[in-house]
Amino acid sequence: MTPPATEAGDFAALVRHAGSSFEVVPVTLPRIKTDEVRVRIVAVGMCHTDLLARDGKLPGVPMPSVLGHEGAGIVEEVGADVEDLTPGDHVALSFAFCGSCRHCADNRPADCDRFYAANFLGGEGRMHCHGEAAPVNSEFFNQSSFATRSIVKARHAVRVPRDVPLELLAPFGCGVITGAGTVLNYMKARAGSSIAVFGAGAVGLSAVMAARLAGCATIIAVDVHPSRLELAMELGATHRIDSREGGLRSRIRAVLPGGADFVLDTTGVPDVIAEALASVERRGAVVLVAGTPGRQISLDMSLLLTGASIRMVTEGAAVPREFIPLLVDHFRAGRFPVDRLIRFYSFDDINHAAHEAEQGIAIKPVLRVASESRGVQSHE
């Protein structure tokens, strides 16, 4: 067994078995490999994917496991082969990719042939809980950042400016790039176009802000929470629809008689997806960014006869080291106010954060892990 390199004092939020709560426990991390970096986590976002994994709804995620995949922190140590990061760098951690398949070689890491395995199926189990012989999975998205420290491959860490609080940048690693990237990278939404966004959570609201950046003329936000719809209007939506009132497709077509150029579903709910499919114009694009393995959706073939397309897009088709700095620049310039989505929690309060995320109270929970994350206010 490789001897531990970190000293006592590290903690992680452990899920012992599918469906259990998070348990903050003392842990020991291994020595880093030559292509890895050790990062002291300052803050970490909580994503719906973390909760699906906690509940055993993502096949293959090993248990016990440390989850978390929107970490942000400070590099403490770099491996011998790492040339582009140095101790003291501020970084946001993003998704994992193999780095060697045809898609990675073509600079499309979100389409990595091994994406599911690299992010969900775990690795060697190199982290240990104190007093327990068996290791735990610490390879969730190659970061398992619900922890005070994380060991990741250097290619999954993105250097970010030191003058932007890390706790505001944590969500950029997954939820933010998924929403914004789908609009800007995959749809390549053009000025004057129209988009309907189903679901005004962190992903959907990031898409709304990106659509405003792109100059979309009509931006329709659809959700069940009036407060989220109000926020969507403040962030750039031109219309809002409360889906509790039903009739989504007719109400969208009342605004856009021919349907929307682009339709984005962030919910993964089959009945909602059916409404999304019925809301797109001829030759338009329907994009899905969420879904639970095993759930079925029905597709009316007449949609395809109109020339419309439907596709699942992963991680906003983003290249993290290129796209995250671009979004950070927009944030610093006031054009992408992601801070409006965030509600902060202490690391020890992780189960309360999860509860409020599930209840729709928090749009984007961010756990404050280290002292550097104190003092920044969230928008409630």
Side-chain angles (χ1 to χ4, degrees):
M1 181 184 299
T2 302
T6 55
E7 41 187 73
D10 281 320
F11 292 85
L14 182 69
V15 177
R16 292 195 178 273
H17 55 80
S20 66
S21 298
F22 295 102
E23 179 185 351
V24 178
V25 298
V27 295
T28 301
L29 276 67
R31 298 187 186 280
I32 65 171
K33 297 180 179 179
T34 59
D35 62 346
E36 294 178 330
V37 296
R38 187 176 75 239
V39 178
R40 180 165 57 87
I41 300 297
V42 171
V44 55
M46 178 177 286
C47 178
H48 184 58
T49 302
D50 295 308
L51 304 182
L52 289 175
R54 178 201 63 182
D55 294 340
K57 295 180 179 179
L58 295 177
V61 175
M63 292 293 171
S65 188
V66 175
L67 305 175
H69 64 286
E70 291 182 343
I74 301 170
V75 175
E76 289 187 325
E77 181 184 4
V78 303
D81 296 336
V82 177
E83 299 179 348
D84 52 1
L85 293 171
T86 60
D89 283 343
H90 286 204
V91 292
L93 307 182
S94 194
F95 60 88
F97 50 93
C98 75
S100 58
C101 72
R102 54 183 177 149
H103 299 300
C104 289
D106 196 31
N107 202 31
R108 292 187 290 125
D111 293 327
C112 174
D113 283 340
R114 298 192 66 253
F115 183 90
Y116 197 88
N119 288 282
F120 298 107
L121 300 188
E124 303 171 51
R126 298 158 63 198
M127 180 185 287
H128 285 76
C129 297
H130 287 192
E132 300 182 19
V136 301
N137 173 37
S138 58
E139 296 287 328
F140 191 67
F141 279 70
N142 188 231
Q143 58 176 280
S144 290
S145 49
F146 285 163
T148 53
R149 282 181 174 82
S150 179
I151 292 176
V152 302
K153 291 190 182 299
R155 64 172 175 261
H156 305 147
V158 180
R159 185 187 292 110
V160 293
R162 296 192 184 192
D163 63 334
V164 182
L166 284 164
E167 65 178 350
L168 298 181
L169 299 185
F172 281 69
C174 182
V176 170
I177 64 171
T178 295
T182 299
V183 173
L184 299 176
N185 298 327
Y186 177 72
M187 294 177 177
K188 299 186 185 300
R190 60 195 180 278
S193 62
S194 58
I195 183 172
V197 179
F198 286 72
V203 174
L205 291 173
S206 294
V208 166
M209 292 188 286
R212 182 179 63 176
L213 283 174
C216 292
T218 304
I219 305 170
I220 302 174
V222 182
D223 203 272
V224 298
H225 297 284
S227 61
R228 294 189 177 194
L229 292 172
E230 179 65 33
L231 179 57
M233 297 294 289
E234 296 173 10
L235 295 177
T238 60
H239 299 77
R240 56 186 161 185
I241 294 177
D242 188 329
S243 57
R244 296 174 302 176
E245 299 170 8
L248 293 183
R249 64 187 73 181
S250 61
R251 292 162 69 192
I252 288 174
R253 289 185 179 270
V255 178
L256 296 166
D261 295 317
F262 304 102
V263 176
L264 172 61
D265 177 74
T266 73
T267 70
V269 177
D271 288 346
V272 177
I273 292 173
E275 296 296 315
L277 295 173
S279 302
V280 69
E281 73 159 5
R282 294 182 64 86
R283 303 189 65 79
V286 178
V287 180
L288 314 178
V289 297
T292 304
R295 299 188 78 175
Q296 304 293 315
I297 63 172
S298 60
L299 176 63
D300 187 333
M301 292 296 290
S302 63
L303 171 72
L304 302 182
L305 295 176
T306 70
S309 64
I310 177 171
R311 182 184 167 182
M312 173 72 76
V313 172
T314 304
E315 299 288 353
V319 179
R321 286 195 168 187
E322 297 173 7
F323 193 55
I324 289 177
L326 174 65
L327 291 182
V328 172
D329 285 345
H330 284 308
F331 170 71
R332 296 169 83 187
R335 297 186 295 265
F336 194 78
V338 72
D339 56 305
R340 299 287 307 279
L341 315 182
I342 294 174
R343 182 182 291 236
F344 294 112
Y345 301 83
S346 70
F347 186 36
D348 290 340
D349 215 14
I350 184 171
N351 286 304
H352 181 57
H355 172 74
E356 295 208 332
E358 291 172 309
Q359 295 300 311
I361 297 170
I363 297 174
K364 172 53 68 173
V366 170
L367 305 174
R368 289 168 160 154
V369 180
S371 59
E372 285 82 354
S373 66
R374 302 298 189 265
V376 178
Q377 299 299 311
S378 65
H379 294 268
E380 304 296 336

